[in-house]
Amino acid sequence: MGQIVCFGEALIDFLGQPSTAPPQFTQYAGGAPANVAVAVARLGGSAAFVGMLGEDMFGDFLLRNLQQAGVDTHYVRRTGAANTALAFVSLDADGERHFSFYRPPAADLLFRPEHFDPACFETASVLHACSNSMTEEASAETTLIGMQRARAAGVLVSFDLNLRPSLWPRDMDARPRVWQALHAADLVKLSAVEFDFLEKPLNGAGGVLQQLWKGNAQLLLVTDGAAPIRYFTRTARGTMPTFRVLAADTTAAGDAFVGGLLYWLVRSGIGVPDLATLAADPSRFREALSFAAACGAFTVTRRGAFAAMPVLSDVEELLRVQP
């Protein structure tokens, strides 16, 4: 299998323990692109994380957890100019999250184009990124440059919007900047809330699709918790049901979904030229989405992000009992 390279933030999730007074928080390793890298590695795939960690105890904790999960950390950089980002996460009765971020400043936002190792593009099958590395101008430019270098190397580019409005400047509309990344990606994943966010200034759902197809995208996936997954290509669209599980923590569900899908694509030899035709094979496309959905569903049954990711046998068992 080729390597799945995940670029962006790694941070500490301090996860609130329910029904405790005063509130108590437990430290977990997290950060959307780092979660995807761990999801791939836990399934048995080859994954690398590219990003900047602080030279602090939290950076040490993240690096150690990435390595223990089997993620390649040769492309990780460290800095003493800023601390590792923190996120405090409270959960409601259904496991839904509410975030309070301590970022910026943060080490992950200090990664610059010169910090990329050219080797990470030479050995990659996929480059995956999210929008949290685009909340500041210099970091956004770095993200786009990374996506451009991946495309030049023939690498499939994946982008999960993963929008966290509280990370963006209050007076800034994030849409113009994130559309640059959406146009640069071959594969795009949105939540239903994010789809609505993009749709608001456009002419309904058709406006989002019309805008997206102006770029490189060949496949759009829209997830909505336990609701059916929606998929769109330039010539087709449809839905697929998800799995029935009892949710304990939804923190990394989307990242597990993406990690599972990217793992399946690389394992199956699906590259940029094949992505457009994948949905034309209903059986194979359903297999891909089912595998990804099973990864996301299993993850919500456990707490944490890195700690919640399934191994391959977990996914295969869920697919067996809920075919």
Side-chain angles (χ1 to χ4, degrees):
M1 284 182 63
Q3 193 165 61
I4 296 170
V5 176
C6 301
F7 169 74
E9 83 278 3
L11 51 78
I12 302 296
D13 287 328
F14 281 101
L15 193 60
Q17 303 302 311
S19 304
T20 60
Q24 297 179 10
F25 293 87
T26 302
Q27 173 180 299
Y28 290 92
N35 292 340
V36 173
V38 170
V40 171
R42 291 268 291 167
L43 290 168
S46 176
F49 176 71
V50 180
M52 186 78 75
L53 301 178
E55 294 175 347
D56 53 23
M57 63 179 181
F58 295 127
D60 294 341
F61 177 78
L62 287 167
L63 189 64
R64 185 168 62 252
N65 275 260
L66 285 165
Q67 292 169 344
Q68 289 173 348
V71 175
D72 182 351
T73 59
H74 287 97
Y75 309 126
V76 171
R77 303 292 180 256
R78 305 291 296 270
T79 181
N83 292 329
T84 301
L86 308 178
F88 287 82
V89 188
S90 62
L91 301 174
D92 63 22
D94 297 319
E96 285 298 332
R97 310 146 297 163
H98 304 278
F99 292 93
S100 180
F101 291 99
Y102 286 75
R103 173 186 183 267
D108 62 281
L109 293 171
L110 299 182
F111 196 99
R112 295 293 178 262
E114 60 268 24
H115 295 134
F116 282 117
D117 185 333
C120 77
F121 302 111
E122 295 168 2
T123 59
S125 292
V126 176
L127 176 76
H128 176 71
C130 303
S131 72
N132 290 340
S133 60
M134 304 186 74
T135 57
E136 294 191 346
E137 185 174 359
S139 184
E141 182 181 0
T142 300
T143 304
L144 293 170
I145 288 173
M147 297 173 80
Q148 291 162 5
R149 291 182 183 177
R151 173 164 297 282
V155 174
L156 189 153
V157 179
S158 166
F159 187 76
D160 178 2
L161 183 51
N162 196 49
L163 188 70
R164 300 287 178 262
S166 60
L167 291 177
W168 292 76
R170 289 187 179 183
D171 58 348
M172 180 179 179
D173 182 359
R175 293 178 186 88
R177 187 176 288 176
V178 299
W179 269 115
Q180 294 180 69
L182 291 167
H183 284 150
D186 302 295
L187 168 63
V188 173
K189 185 266 181 189
L190 303 173
S191 70
V193 172
E194 291 161 352
F195 191 96
D196 292 344
F197 168 79
L198 294 174
E199 178 184 12
K200 196 170 184 180
L202 299 173
N203 184 26
V208 175
L209 297 173
Q210 184 179 21
Q211 180 73 0
L212 184 64
W213 303 144
K214 290 179 181 178
N216 298 312
Q218 300 297 322
L219 176 61
L220 166 65
L221 299 170
V222 182
T223 59
D224 188 13
I229 299 161
R230 289 180 283 163
Y231 64 85
F232 304 86
T233 71
R234 292 172 182 258
T235 58
R237 64 180 63 190
T239 63
M240 200 196 79
T242 55
F243 292 83
R244 299 182 303 278
V245 294
L246 182 62
D249 177 9
T250 62
T251 299
D255 303 326
F257 174 89
V258 172
L261 179 64
L262 297 180
Y263 168 84
W264 189 96
L265 292 175
V266 173
R267 185 184 67 177
S268 303
I270 303 295
V272 177
D274 314 297
L275 197 59
T277 58
L278 177 62
D281 183 340
S283 176
R284 207 160 182 227
F285 190 50
R286 181 178 178 83
E287 181 186 346
L289 292 187
S290 294
F291 187 90
C295 292
F298 185 89
T299 298
V300 306
T301 65
R302 303 197 291 199
R303 294 171 66 79
F306 288 16
M309 297 298 175
V311 296
L312 186 57
S313 59
D314 295 326
V315 180
E316 291 173 340
E317 176 63 13
L318 183 54
L319 288 168
R320 186 187 68 81
V321 299
Q322 291 191 47

